[in-house]
Amino acid sequence: MPVNQLTHPLFESDRVDSFQLQNFHPEIITPAVASQALKFPHNEKDPFRIFGLPRNLLVEFRILSKPCSVMRGVTIDVVNRLDNASQSSSADHRLVFSGATGCGKSTVLLQALQYCNANDWIVFYFPRAINVVNSTSTYTYDPRTRTYLQPVFAYQTLQRFLTVNEARLEQLRTQADVELERRATIPAGTTLSELVKAGVKEQALAPTILMALMDELETQTKFPVLLAVDDFQAIYCKSTYRDPHFSTIQPYHLSMPRLLLEYASGQRKFARGAVLGALSSTNADFKLPLELAEALGLPPPTSGGPYAKRSPVLQDYAKGLERVVVPDTLTVQEAMEVFDVWRKDRALPSVPNDELFLAKYTESSGNARDFVWKGLLSSLSL
């Protein structure tokens, strides 16, 4: 029934939209909105709707009536750094978010992604980078590059990338001919959107088209480019792919993780842009490797020492990365705003009051994920 026909007092509160939040917009991301919740505007081509989300964020956004997040001080700092990165090479802006499990690294990465997309950047987003190394997509050996191509994953990446960035790609043209198989060539001067569509039409060409696209994006200066990778540590871990002799295939021998590693290390770079990564520890099969931990100045996940085995290749791929620490706990003001969001959206199973807030904040020790999932939503069956 339409809302205006629900006249019974039982529905009175439902007719009043108390869940009013400001829209997330680049111009208002300043210290003035720190500890405030902002909602993401409803746009079918938003990056998180097309590229996907980490599982916890996906479930939260499905429970909430409006996707939103609380701005934190670290978000403001990252946004300021992205403003500087928009005018310089991505090799100088390679940041990795670290912190305790559940502290909000993925959320900060998503906020940075939304900021760049709204600020007219070209954006790539890999919300679950574990999928490029966990043997869930097909792979074929390419004798020309001596790597294993992942045509299905490259094809899906092109599809999503085109949906999010098509308006910007229409304004860019290829600077050189792109040679395809069977002696076919995409001539110079073709719009990048048409280039990507060629890879979307034929899955077998997707890896070649993706590499050609990246080459073009590296040299253009009209738009800054953001490459955002969640589960960042996974691309430095041993993959679960196997070669014909059933030996483990290293991540840098697979086309997709190798591409991400080259940008993370600065071996490949965008003329304008940044590379952002977020570490995760939810999957025990893809723990933080020693080479990456040492490059970021983090405690070694296992016994380190001078005699621990290290991969020189992975050490090279980890050079120059800068760690950005996400606070392990929410401040009281940030936690109050999170509590208020769930209260206004009537998602709390208990009666909201100060005692409930203080109890859940104390029980979770201020950890963002535990505050929501083990505190506020603990009695929900999902």
Side-chain angles (χ1 to χ4, degrees):
M1 293 177 63
V3 174
N4 58 8
Q5 295 183 21
L6 302 176
T7 57
H8 192 279
L10 177 65
F11 303 105
E12 184 66 27
S13 61
D14 291 335
R15 291 190 296 164
V16 180
D17 186 7
S18 61
F19 192 35
Q20 296 290 341
L21 297 174
Q22 283 186 286
N23 280 333
F24 183 99
H25 192 274
E27 294 180 358
I28 68 170
I29 309 302
T30 64
V33 297
S35 301
Q36 290 186 23
L38 301 179
K39 67 176 181 180
F40 297 123
H42 184 76
N43 184 344
E44 292 302 326
K45 293 186 178 182
D46 270 348
F48 75 86
R49 300 181 191 277
I50 305 302
F51 288 110
L53 287 167
R55 184 180 180 277
N56 281 340
L57 285 178
L58 176 63
V59 177
E60 283 185 23
F61 283 3
R62 285 181 175 176
I63 297 174
L64 287 168
S65 60
K66 300 173 184 177
C68 61
S69 65
V70 175
M71 299 298 108
R72 303 174 67 182
V74 65
T75 305
I76 308 302
D77 295 339
V78 170
V79 162
N80 292 335
R81 300 186 70 162
L82 287 172
D83 287 338
N84 295 330
S86 66
Q87 302 300 325
S88 58
S89 169
S90 65
D92 301 325
H93 304 277
R94 294 174 286 128
L95 312 178
V96 180
F97 302 141
S98 70
T101 300
C103 69
K105 300 181 291 294
S106 295
T107 300
V108 175
L109 183 66
L110 176 62
Q111 291 169 340
L113 173 75
Q114 290 294 111
Y115 176 83
C116 289
N117 182 64
N119 221 16
D120 210 22
W121 287 48
I122 292 174
V123 296
F124 282 94
Y125 182 38
F126 293 85
R128 305 178 189 183
I130 288 175
N131 290 342
V132 303
V133 292
N134 66 358
S135 193
T136 54
S137 63
T138 59
Y139 63 111
T140 58
Y141 183 70
D142 182 9
R144 296 174 302 171
T145 60
R146 297 182 181 180
T147 60
Y148 290 87
L149 303 180
Q150 297 166 283
V152 174
F153 205 99
Y155 172 77
Q156 294 172 343
T157 299
L158 288 176
Q159 274 188 317
R160 296 162 181 161
F161 177 76
L162 178 64
T163 302
V164 173
N165 300 282
E166 186 170 9
R168 298 164 190 132
L169 297 180
E170 287 285 355
Q171 304 177 47
L172 301 173
R173 296 183 179 274
T174 57
Q175 302 300 309
D177 295 344
V178 179
E179 296 183 3
L180 306 176
E181 298 177 3
R182 298 186 297 275
R183 298 182 181 179
T185 301
I186 297 178
T190 304
T191 63
L192 292 194
S193 62
E194 289 299 321
L195 174 67
V196 175
K197 288 175 182 177
V200 172
K201 289 178 183 176
E202 191 169 350
Q203 183 173 289
L205 298 177
T208 303
I209 295 295
L210 179 59
M211 295 303 294
L213 171 67
M214 302 307 287
D215 290 339
E216 295 292 339
L217 293 178
E218 286 176 13
T219 57
Q220 63 82 32
T221 56
K222 187 176 180 64
F223 299 102
V225 183
L226 175 71
L227 175 61
V229 183
D230 213 331
D231 295 330
F232 184 75
Q233 82 291 338
I235 61 176
Y236 290 83
C237 297
K238 289 183 178 180
S239 77
T240 57
Y241 286 90
R242 302 285 179 169
D243 65 14
H245 302 288
F246 208 68
S247 298
T248 300
I249 300 175
Q250 295 295 335
Y252 44 82
H253 290 155
L254 291 160
S255 61
M256 292 304 298
R258 183 186 182 96
L259 182 66
L260 301 180
L261 286 167
E262 288 176 344
Y263 284 104
S265 63
Q267 295 178 17
R268 300 188 63 164
K269 55 191 176 183
F270 304 110
R272 298 172 58 199
V275 178
L276 300 182
L279 303 178
S280 68
S281 56
T282 54
N283 192 318
D285 293 330
F286 298 95
K287 296 179 180 179
L288 180 68
L290 178 60
E291 297 86 354
L292 182 58
E294 291 181 336
L296 295 175
L298 292 168
T302 57
S303 57
Y307 300 108
K309 187 176 180 180
R310 296 167 175 81
S311 167
V313 178
L314 291 179
Q315 285 180 320
D316 287 339
Y317 281 128
K319 282 182 179 177
L321 291 171
E322 183 179 351
R323 179 164 63 107
V324 175
V325 179
V326 177
D328 292 346
T329 61
L330 296 170
T331 65
V332 173
Q333 290 75 15
E334 292 166 352
M336 288 175 62
E337 188 70 8
V338 172
F339 183 82
D340 209 36
V341 164
W342 291 99
R343 178 186 64 80
K344 289 180 177 178
D345 209 26
R346 295 184 292 277
L348 298 182
S350 305
V351 178
N353 51 45
D354 292 346
E355 289 77 9
L356 176 65
F357 166 75
L358 290 173
K360 299 306 180 183
Y361 183 72
T362 304
E363 291 169 7
S364 63
S365 298
N367 181 273
R369 183 186 300 169
D370 289 347
F371 179 64
V372 174
W373 288 100
K374 295 182 180 179
L376 305 182
L377 306 181
S378 58
S379 62
L380 289 183
S381 178
L382 301 175

